[in-house]
Amino acid sequence: MIVYSSDFQGVDPSQLAGFFVGWPNPPDQETHLRILKGSSHVVLALDGERVVGFINAISDGVLAAYLPLLEVLPEYQGRGIGGELVQRMLALLKDYYMVDLACDEALIPFYERFGLRRLTAAGRRNYERQSGMSEAD
């Protein structure tokens, strides 16, 4: 049974294995935990002690929030976990003026199901830093 929680206190990096599939330079599990800790909001999907999905938000706490990551482990995809994570996060952010995200074109219909709509955006990607590690690390 999948349980959803916004409490990631006590989550250990070992519980975050298997995410970022297909990324050429993914964050390691310790960096993944730092990402969650640095987020303003987090919702986890847990199967027992195992984290099988997550979504995070970064926010100014007043008007705006950005959803940088939504991930579900491959063997758990297709079970509605990603949709449930989005719904729960949007409920947490219901009083914000804007909630934005950037995604691949193919994912737009998924997010439109939750009331998000296509927007024009701009961004920059520094793929050498995709792992979240600095040269000093």
Side-chain angles (χ1 to χ4, degrees), residues 42-137:
V42 172
V43 181
L44 303 175
L46 299 135
D47 186 1
E49 295 293 314
R50 185 176 186 197
V51 177
V52 299
F54 74 94
I55 188 170
N56 69 318
I58 300 167
S59 174
D60 60 16
V62 181
L63 292 177
Y66 176 71
L67 306 179
L69 298 168
L70 167 64
E71 295 262 341
V72 176
L73 292 176
E75 62 268 30
Y76 286 84
Q77 292 176 6
R79 300 183 193 183
I81 294 169
E84 185 67 25
L85 288 166
V86 171
Q87 288 179 329
R88 287 172 182 263
M89 181 59 75
L90 292 176
L92 291 173
L93 303 173
K94 68 181 173 29
D95 293 327
Y96 285 78
Y97 163 66
M98 63 180 136
V99 177
D100 296 334
L101 63 87
C103 65
D104 294 336
E105 180 71 25
L107 295 174
I108 295 289
F110 171 79
Y111 289 107
E112 286 178 332
R113 294 186 347 215
F114 306 102
L116 285 91
R117 60 187 180 99
R118 181 184 310 271
L119 300 171
T120 302
R124 178 179 72 157
R125 299 291 184 268
N126 182 351
Y127 289 103
E128 292 80 29
R129 299 278 295 129
Q130 187 178 46
S131 69
M133 304 296 280
S134 70
E135 290 180 22
D137 291 337

